[in-house]
Amino acid sequence: EIGSRACAARARGVVGVCTTPIEGSAPRKSGPFAAGWAAAVGYARVLHRRVAPARPQRAGSNKNNAGEDAGDDEEMPSRMDSFRFGHAKHSESRVVYVTADASAQGPNAGFRFKGNAISTGKYSPITFFPKGLYEQFRRIANLYFLSVAIISLFEAISPIKPYTIWSPLVLVVGLSMAKEAVEDYARHKQDHEQNTSLTERFNGTSLVQCEWREVKTGDLVRVVRDQAFPCDLVLLASSLDDSVCYVETKNLDGETNLKIKRGVEGMGGVGTGPEKMRELCGDGGDAYVECEHPNNSLYTFTGNLDVPSRTREVSVHGSSRNLAAAAEDRTGSEKISLVPSNILLRGSSLRNTEWVIGLAIYTGHDSKIMMNSSAAPSKRSTIEKGMDKIVLSMLGLLCLMGTITGIICGSWIKNVSPKHWYMDTSDTDMVFDPKNAPKVGVVAFLTSYVLYGYLIPISLYVSLEFVKVCQAMVFLNSDRQMYHKETDTPMRARTSNLNEELGMVHTVLSDKTGTLTCNSMEFFKCSIAGVSYGEGITEIERSIAKRQGRPILTKPTKPIEPGFNFKDARLEGDKWRSLPDAEHIRDFFRILGVCHTVIPEGEATRETICYQAESPDESAFVVAAKRFGFFFKSRTTSGMELEEPSYHSSGEISTVHYELLNVLEFNSTRKRMSVIVRTPEDKIMLYCKGADSVIYDRLSHGNQKYTDVTHQHMDEYAKCGLRTLCLSVREISQSEYDAWNVTYTEAAQSLEKRDEKLQAAAEIIEKDLFLVGATAIEDKLQDGVPGTIEQMMRGGIAVWVLTGDKQDTAINIAQACALIRDDMDVHIVNIEELVKQEHDREITRAQFNEQGKAQVAALIEAGIEKEAATAKKGIETCLVIDGRSLSFALEQDLAPRFLQLGSGCTSVVCCRVSPLQKALVTKLVKDSGKITLAIGDGANDVGMIQSAHIGVGISGQEGMQAVMASDFAFAQFRFLERLLLVHGRYNYKRISKMVTYFFYKNLAFGLTLFMYNLHAAASGQVVYNDWLMSAFNIFFVAFPVIALGILDQDVNQRSCLQFPQLYRQGQQNACFERRVQAGWALNGIYIGMVTFFVVFYAVHGGEADHPKGHVFGLWEVGTSLYTGIVITINLQMAQMINFWTWIQHVCIWGSIAFWYIANCILSNTDPYLSTYSYKIFIPTIAPTPKFWMATPLIVVIGLLPDLLYRTSRRLFRPEPHQLVQEYERMVRGTTPRSSVTNTPMDTPRHGSRYGSSAVLAEEGRIEVDEPEEGEENIEPEEPTEPEEPAEPEEPEPNEVERSDEEAPPREAEEEKKADESA
């Protein structure tokens, strides 16, 4: 009982915050800076507190504390022992002891931490076959064929030899499992390379080399330059000053810029030698880390390091001294807050630093990178889901046919078979026992279940996977027009499952910054103390004026240096010192130079310094401060140094030091960032920058001079398309800061809800601010964005832009991007007046919620009525809604009406939205049944990308998180035009034709088996050779459909971009709708029935088949039937193909030729293997003229109706793509071929003049590679004699009628005539 109580008490003591000071020690500031600074900057300064271990006091004791402590030492086990007993096992925190003892008796042994060896393989040698087989037979088709193969083992039931069923099943499943095995072997090989990589760990006496898998939790690990970190480490010491190091996280999050990490303050002595390491390890229980349990959050960490005071050093204004020199008798321990910048994550590598020493806290599968390795949400295309329904339908048809067969067989055996005396059915087994008709019917059903299995295409999944991989890896990834030369970024299809879904997109939801714009920020204008500064016209203004036909006389200005494009003589040099509000101007410049998380690199001169910033706008602010004279030079442990002009003297430049006390970092919830510094004037100042919506709420009342005029300036900047931020300042007294710092320190050291407590502490100090001014940053549009959006909208794709910008900024950028045109009606949903009333405290929050929801509901209803009225007039509508209104619109009762309004609009602009709202809007549109595509470039877009049907990531300035979460990735928004209108449309039509054709051919083939079985009294007799039946789906008809899925084009690439209206076929699912599927099914039924009846009742109706009077037997007639089916089905493919290449010729004619070759081989093969085909073809069938004459007759009768239907449909009710085909043919007849033939990737010289890439290439704004001589085409080009595809659709004549503005420019009069005729 005593032991249990002691364990629980000790556990609570570890979890709690130790606050008892050492007797006689001076109070010391606690670690506010550590937690606040860490996440945003990768930089920490932990001001520490010296504490003694907390001792729980037993109830009812009147002894003094000293005596009680002594009693505790005698009665209670140590803290290490208490955890070893298991009482800490269920603790809310994780405790890791610093130790060199990794044995079973070590202090960490009782926690059973995971080892550092990893295994990312899907299978092991033991689980490969059972798990692999399970994965394969999860597919309905494979499971069905397994059941057929099992039934085929019973010869009394199966009409087919077992090996002819098992062979193709084993082949298909084996190929899939072999692919899995190869991929999994590569994973295991990579795991082995990582597990056997070398590093160094402390063994108690020295650092020794070991493999990664030998590292244990609690070890001290040394990593040298350019090595990867073997596990998640707490950085203690490094070779650089202040224990900093540089880390590359490219393999972790895709970002290539180096990040700076800071060691735990005071622990730098660990790097001086083994003695210090041994001192830190102590007896195995002196130092420990208490932190959160393993999780998958890469950018957060909560924990404390508890170390003996004797092992720490303290940094005082940049200099270090050993604490042992400060006091002769030092006992107790110190608790230090650990923050994300102290953590070195597995998956990242050490750069520009000779060595680091860290403490292993998360090893193996507990490391954050492994916790993030779970598979992304599985996405399946609409066609793939429809394909599963067809498989189930075919399975139902098979069961129906089997039931009919069983009934007929049972009835015939019972009622008819006794009349045929020669069959002697009275002396048979149960298979044909006339006395037990139900049992005969059941056996006949099982026999049919096996025989009719060819209705289900066993090779469909394998063929489809092969085709999709080719589409993604060969065509998408190799498209040179989606390659960005400036950043050397090619197109990357990260999955092949959604290729055809790209051709069915209804709605594109896009981020703005970095997606539509370059995310290359330039400081352009500013408002300081109520005065606006800055000259020039933004690119957004130029673009709007150009679209409206207004001339602009001024030329665009080039930036003075990257990030700075500001011109105003009033602020040049030191002229600002003579202005009336010079003090406020100085505060403005100081905020730019101090309130940031930038890391300077290189030589500290104005010309050579390089700033490492987490966002482009932060870099622009620091560069602007430098240009204004406030040069940020360096960052130290205690703060930062700036060169700035003296304010009171002659303005001479001097280097000053700002002591950095706290950093309250920026996040999407706070929408602001603050720093608390001690200025050179020895004042404690809070500098804050953030969105106007949050800064204005925190301004002091009564002493503001510039709020109204600054707000007016920001509105003007927003209309120019500039991004604005407010800058504010507050002076804090020493007493107020000391009181607040206690609260902040407790929050920083808390292990539970640390982020919430830190935000609450920040709210206390971020108040009563004084507004100094506002900044205006220009983010220029990417090349080709307006043209791409216009093309998508012409193709019927609605575009939604979700941005955090102000409404005016969003509207102006939408106008520049062609989202809002002059001929459109704009409906705005905004409750700005209510927001202002709430801000001015005229209404309460409850009143705001009630009135806001009612007002938003009324605006949505008005928008629906307006949209319906304008639609009747042929006018398009754009919806603009702000974030506060959107929060109401997304509520459950308003969401359907909001979706109805948005769906009726051509474009939607949502401004002031949060990352969560982006994901919610995307999910709302997705749940409506429309195919959605989300595109973004930053971490705040990940939720939106993963919520959509298709996610596209842009590799831009905000890291690679969006790319890593996406399905497709490229570098520029303009590539989306080609991805959807060309590749997406092609892939949709190819896959839909491929799937429907697969079921068509199998239905036709299976019906011949069904009809002959009925012809043979449902006895289960087969008409084909077993091997030939198994080879039907694998050899004789498989390759042409694969070629179709990879290469077919109904129109050339130029026309796809010239006529984006063609994309609407995919949106309407015109090639895979129920009517199309039914049409193919009827065609398959017709082919099967006609072929059977022509062969059995016309060609071989009873007269002699051979000149010598011989009559064909069962297998000869079956060969004729098989020949007719194979040739008819292959030539049906020839009627479908729009684009012929030598590959199609080889596949179609080669498949037919292979059929004859296979018969010749089987005819001369041993009867045991060839079964019923032995001596059938060569000696009997081949010499018979009737066989050769009958085959063309069967083919003509089978294909003639389809040919007549296609021809009449093309002549009298043509589809849009058929009109374009005629246009292409006419252009080829009136224009020299070189002027209309596309290059391999549709380069502008010979390609589209309508795609934005081609237009930009002609203008010289982008560069597109020309194909070299003899270079192989990456995609097939224009068709020669296009044939009509099989899918019927009602034509929309207006879809391809082009206005004069849409018509491509012609250089010859003949082309104009051809255009008019088309």
Side-chain angles (χ1 to χ4, degrees), residues 796-1067:
I797 302 174
V799 181
W800 293 39
V801 173
L802 312 176
T803 176
D805 287 335
K806 297 181 65 176
Q807 179 177 303
D808 290 337
T809 305
I811 290 177
N812 280 276
I813 290 177
Q815 290 175 341
C817 293
L819 276 170
I820 300 177
R821 303 189 305 271
D822 294 337
D823 60 344
M824 295 177 67
D825 182 79
V826 180
H827 180 70
I828 299 177
V829 177
N830 190 310
I831 53 173
E832 185 177 355
E833 287 298 324
L834 285 178
V835 173
K836 185 176 181 181
Q837 290 177 17
E838 185 202 17
H839 175 262
D840 295 339
R841 301 177 184 178
E842 296 177 7
I843 58 175
T844 64
R845 175 58 61 90
Q847 291 174 325
F848 170 79
N849 292 335
E850 181 182 355
Q851 297 178 25
K853 185 174 182 179
Q855 187 171 336
V856 169
L859 289 171
I860 290 176
E861 294 299 329
I864 294 174
E865 295 177 1
K866 182 191 293 187
E867 190 276 327
T870 54
K872 293 179 180 178
K873 301 177 183 178
I875 301 176
E876 296 177 336
T877 304
C878 172
L879 171 65
V880 178
I881 183 170
D882 71 324
R884 298 295 291 271
S885 303
L886 185 62
S887 62
F888 292 116
L890 291 175
E891 292 185 7
Q892 188 173 1
D893 52 341
L894 293 184
R897 302 296 287 171
F898 169 65
L899 178 63
Q900 180 181 347
L901 174 59
S903 300
C905 297
T906 305
S907 58
V908 178
V909 178
C910 301
C911 46
R912 292 292 194 185
V913 297
S914 65
L916 177 60
Q917 286 179 320
K918 289 183 179 181
L920 292 176
V921 170
T922 303
K923 189 176 185 300
L924 177 65
V925 181
K926 177 183 177 181
D927 291 343
S928 68
K930 294 186 176 181
I931 306 300
T932 56
L933 182 148
I935 179 170
D937 74 318
N940 59 339
D941 302 319
V942 170
M944 175 178 71
I945 288 173
Q946 292 182 337
S947 297
H949 289 95
I950 305 169
V952 177
I954 289 185
S955 52
Q957 303 291 328
E958 296 187 19
M960 300 291 287
Q961 294 95 327
V963 170
M964 296 174 70
S966 66
D967 304 303
F968 302 91
F970 42 66
Q972 294 281 292
F973 181 84
R974 67 174 182 269
F975 298 151
L976 186 61
E977 172 193 7
R978 186 168 180 83
L979 180 68
L980 297 181
L981 301 185
V982 178
H983 292 285
R985 183 178 177 277
Y986 280 161
N987 291 340
Y988 165 73
K989 302 203 77 171
R990 290 165 179 168
I991 296 297
S992 58
K993 289 182 182 180
M994 181 180 175
V995 173
T996 51
Y997 178 83
F998 249 102
F999 289 104
Y1000 149 80
K1001 67 182 179 61
N1002 280 68
L1003 183 59
F1005 184 72
L1007 279 178
T1008 60
L1009 295 171
F1010 174 66
M1011 285 184 287
Y1012 179 75
N1013 195 18
L1014 296 183
H1015 180 75
S1019 60
Q1021 176 62 47
V1022 295
V1023 69
Y1024 305 131
N1025 174 284
D1026 295 356
W1027 282 115
L1028 295 179
M1029 284 195 292
S1030 299
F1032 176 79
N1033 277 314
I1034 298 177
F1035 297 112
F1036 299 142
V1037 293
F1039 297 107
V1041 69
I1042 292 177
L1044 172 85
I1046 296 176
L1047 300 172
D1048 193 50
Q1049 295 182 5
D1050 56 349
V1051 298
N1052 60 37
Q1053 300 174 33
R1054 174 179 180 268
S1055 296
C1056 289
L1057 299 174
Q1058 184 175 342
F1059 303 102
Q1061 297 90 341
L1062 293 174
Y1063 187 81
R1064 296 177 183 176
Q1065 288 181 309
Q1067 292 178 324

Side-chain angles (χ1 to χ4, degrees), residues 614-630:
E614 291 192 348
S615 62
D617 50 355
E618 279 223 319
S619 177
F621 289 145
V622 177
V623 170
K626 181 183 72 172
R627 301 294 305 187
F628 290 132
F630 290 73

Side-chain angles (χ1 to χ4, degrees), residues 369-443:
I369 188 173
M370 296 305 298
M371 298 289 286
N372 276 275
S373 63
S374 58
S378 178
K379 296 182 179 181
R380 301 182 68 208
S381 69
T382 303
I383 289 183
E384 189 174 351
K385 295 175 184 176
M387 186 176 69
D388 290 344
K389 296 179 181 179
I390 298 179
V391 170
L392 291 174
S393 300
M394 297 295 281
L395 191 58
L397 177 62
L398 184 150
C399 294
L400 176 62
M401 293 166 57
T403 302
I404 294 173
T405 302
I407 294 172
I408 294 176
C409 181
S411 176
W412 192 90
I413 290 296
K414 179 180 180 180
N415 301 320
V416 182
S417 66
K419 300 177 183 179
H420 299 271
W421 57 269
Y422 55 87
M423 299 185 68
D424 194 16
T425 55
S426 60
D427 189 22
T428 59
D429 55 16
M430 68 170 185
V431 178
F432 298 110
D433 185 3
K435 299 177 183 179
N436 195 346
K439 185 177 292 185
V440 172
V442 172
V443 173

Side-chain angles (χ1 to χ4, degrees), residues 1062-1075:
L1062 293 174
Y1063 187 81
R1064 296 177 183 176
Q1065 288 181 309
Q1067 292 178 324
Q1068 299 162 1
N1069 201 14
C1071 302
F1072 201 68
E1073 60 181 352
R1074 295 284 179 86
R1075 186 176 56 176

Side-chain angles (χ1 to χ4, degrees), residues 89 93-96 108-120 194-195 212 215-218 229-233 252 291-298 300-301 343-347 359-374:
K89 195 169 185 179
S93 59
R94 175 187 178 101
V95 176
V96 176
N108 290 319
F111 295 104
R112 297 181 181 178
F113 295 130
K114 292 183 179 179
N116 202 38
I118 63 169
S119 176
T120 59
Q194 282 201 31
N195 291 334
W212 279 20
V215 174
K216 305 294 182 183
T217 305
F229 300 113
C231 57
D232 292 351
L233 305 170
L252 190 66
C291 60
E292 60 192 3
H293 287 291
N295 58 74
N296 62 355
S297 177
L298 296 176
T300 61
F301 179 79
I343 307 302
L344 306 173
L345 298 180
R346 178 173 183 151
L359 169 65
I361 50 170
Y362 300 132
T363 53
H365 287 273
D366 281 345
S367 60
K368 288 183 178 288
I369 188 173
M370 296 305 298
M371 298 289 286
N372 276 275
S373 63
S374 58

Side-chain angles (χ1 to χ4, degrees), residues 676-886:
I676 301 177
V677 299
R678 191 180 298 277
T679 66
E681 296 81 16
D682 199 29
K683 295 180 180 180
I684 298 179
M685 302 294 294
L686 182 145
Y687 294 140
C688 181
K689 64 181 180 183
D692 59 320
S693 59
V694 296
I695 296 298
Y696 270 62
D697 288 342
R698 287 159 179 80
L699 298 178
S700 61
H701 293 278
N703 64 340
Q704 299 295 324
K705 302 179 182 179
Y706 315 118
T707 52
D708 294 337
V709 65
T710 302
H711 195 277
Q712 180 181 349
H713 290 161
M714 287 192 293
D715 289 341
E716 294 173 358
Y717 299 153
K719 292 178 182 178
C720 301
L722 299 175
R723 295 161 54 91
T724 59
L725 278 181
C726 290
L727 306 187
S728 57
V729 65
R730 181 193 175 201
E731 183 176 355
I732 305 173
S733 66
Q734 184 68 52
S735 59
E736 181 185 1
Y737 173 75
D738 291 339
W740 173 82
N741 197 34
V742 172
T743 303
Y744 188 82
T745 301
E746 292 177 355
Q749 293 183 344
S750 174
L751 289 180
E752 297 180 5
K753 299 182 179 181
R754 175 184 287 185
D755 292 339
E756 291 85 345
K757 294 179 180 178
L758 287 174
Q759 289 194 28
E763 289 287 347
I764 298 174
I765 201 71
E766 290 175 326
K767 64 180 182 180
D768 297 332
L769 304 176
F770 179 80
L771 182 66
V772 177
T775 61
I777 300 290
E778 181 181 16
D779 187 9
K780 296 182 179 180
L781 284 177
Q782 291 184 14
D783 289 333
V785 168
T788 299
I789 291 178
E790 191 171 4
Q791 284 283 90
M792 290 192 299
M793 293 171 70
R794 289 174 62 198
I797 302 174
V799 181
W800 293 39
V801 173
L802 312 176
T803 176
D805 287 335
K806 297 181 65 176
Q807 179 177 303
D808 290 337
T809 305
I811 290 177
N812 280 276
I813 290 177
Q815 290 175 341
C817 293
L819 276 170
I820 300 177
R821 303 189 305 271
D822 294 337
D823 60 344
M824 295 177 67
D825 182 79
V826 180
H827 180 70
I828 299 177
V829 177
N830 190 310
I831 53 173
E832 185 177 355
E833 287 298 324
L834 285 178
V835 173
K836 185 176 181 181
Q837 290 177 17
E838 185 202 17
H839 175 262
D840 295 339
R841 301 177 184 178
E842 296 177 7
I843 58 175
T844 64
R845 175 58 61 90
Q847 291 174 325
F848 170 79
N849 292 335
E850 181 182 355
Q851 297 178 25
K853 185 174 182 179
Q855 187 171 336
V856 169
L859 289 171
I860 290 176
E861 294 299 329
I864 294 174
E865 295 177 1
K866 182 191 293 187
E867 190 276 327
T870 54
K872 293 179 180 178
K873 301 177 183 178
I875 301 176
E876 296 177 336
T877 304
C878 172
L879 171 65
V880 178
I881 183 170
D882 71 324
R884 298 295 291 271
S885 303
L886 185 62

